[in-house]
Amino acid sequence: EDQVTQSPEALRLQEGESSSLNCSYTVSGLRGLFWYRQDPGKGPEFLFTLYSAGEEKEKERLKATLTKKESFLHITAPKPEDSATYLCAVQALGTSGTYKYIFGTGTRLKVLA
Amino acid sequence: DSGVTQTPKHLITATGQRVTLRCSPRSGDLSVYWYQQSLDQGLQFLIQYYNGEERAKGNILERFSAQQFPDLHSELNLSSLELGDSALYFCASSVGGDITNEQFFGPGTRLTVL
């Protein structure tokens, strides 16, 4: 069964304390893996798309990496404004030429000043 | 502000009723996506339209339907509502028709079914 699992569910960091969020997936025919940031009561904000194992992308204090089984979102020297829920999603081939788009349940990050 | 607008912001209705949620994409975007976010199921992709035609379908119930109009705005119709349909409904838009395109999300419509 296709599955996307994010860990940890929640993470508390001190300002400046670097860490990584994990997104592991079991799907066939991966077309892309996506990271989003979501603030409470708001719509998700797109961060990255990764297409193939070995690919890396960076944006400010965030760096996303992809392997054949999982993706990591590394947060370097986080600030309180990085506090949010980080969502991972995968797009995979479905049946009869369709595709599936599956989200993980997210990691709630809290960065303390 | 993503440039995607959704109305209404909040909607309270009763079981068995029918409601319509509206979405206007960013200027120039041809794709519209609908998502449902609930506490127990997380964010789920419902359906995508590209330039007026259905492009992809996710976990959309038969009681739900959507369409995209010539001016590219979209409506999501939810009928025979159940308590479990209470959720945040997000619309997103993108320039192209591939779901791997960067999507811009609207602020959402919070639906409460009593």
Side-chain angles (χ1 to χ4, degrees):
Chain A
E1 182 186 350
D2 297 323
Q3 201 164 4
V4 177
T5 304
Q6 291 188 247
S7 62
E9 287 187 15
L11 181 62
R12 292 167 69 94
L13 299 173
Q14 291 293 322
E15 184 172 4
E17 180 187 0
S18 300
S19 187
S20 295
L21 314 182
N22 177 264
C23 171
S24 63
Y25 59 92
T26 52
V27 298
S28 54
L30 179 75
R31 291 194 70 235
L33 184 141
F34 312 85
W35 282 99
Y36 292 88
R37 169 196 169 121
Q38 186 174 24
D39 293 305
K42 296 190 175 181
E45 174 190 343
F46 171 84
L47 294 174
F48 305 107
T49 303
L50 302 168
Y51 294 98
S52 57
E55 190 174 0
E56 299 183 351
K57 289 192 176 175
E58 288 188 66
K59 180 179 180 179
E60 296 179 357
R61 295 179 292 282
L62 300 176
K63 178 180 177 180
T65 62
L66 180 64
T67 73
K68 289 186 177 179
K69 294 183 179 180
E70 59 192 348
S71 175
F72 291 94
L73 184 65
H74 308 278
I75 304 178
T76 302
K79 299 181 178 182
E81 53 262 42
D82 294 322
S83 298
T85 295
Y86 290 85
L87 296 169
C88 165
V90 301
Q91 185 200 8
L93 290 173
T95 57
S96 305
T98 64
Y99 61 77
K100 293 177 273 192
Y101 193 39
I102 307 165
F103 280 81
T105 52
T107 293
R108 295 188 312 279
L109 174 66
K110 177 73 173 177
V111 182
L112 305 171
Chain B
D1 184 358
S2 67
V4 177
T5 60
Q6 290 186 247
T7 55
K9 288 186 178 180
H10 302 278
L11 197 49
I12 301 174
T13 188
T15 54
Q17 296 297 305
R18 172 189 171 94
V19 297
T20 297
L21 312 184
R22 182 188 169 102
C23 168
S24 294
R26 293 187 323 153
S27 176
D29 285 358
L30 298 180
S31 273
V32 170
Y33 309 79
W34 285 99
Y35 297 87
Q36 179 193 59
Q37 188 171 40
S38 60
L39 286 175
D40 58 342
Q41 299 235 20
L43 194 61
Q44 292 196 83
F45 166 64
L46 296 179
I47 197 164
Q48 176 198 1
Y49 278 82
Y50 175 71
N51 205 20
E53 296 196 0
E54 182 182 308
R55 175 62 68 100
K57 187 177 282 190
N59 299 326
I60 189 165
L61 299 173
E62 287 192 8
R63 300 183 286 108
F64 296 180
S65 64
Q67 55 184 327
Q68 186 178 29
F69 294 88
D71 67 352
L72 300 177
H73 91 271
S74 178
E75 292 181 355
L76 178 67
N77 299 296
L78 315 176
S79 62
S80 302
L81 285 168
E82 303 175 358
L83 296 177
D85 297 328
S86 296
L88 261 173
Y89 290 83
F90 289 107
C91 165
S93 70
S94 68
V95 172
D98 193 320
I99 202 167
T100 59
N101 290 167
E102 180 175 355
Q103 295 181 35
F104 297 85
F105 282 74
T109 292
R110 184 173 294 279
L111 173 66
T112 302
V113 182
L114 301 176

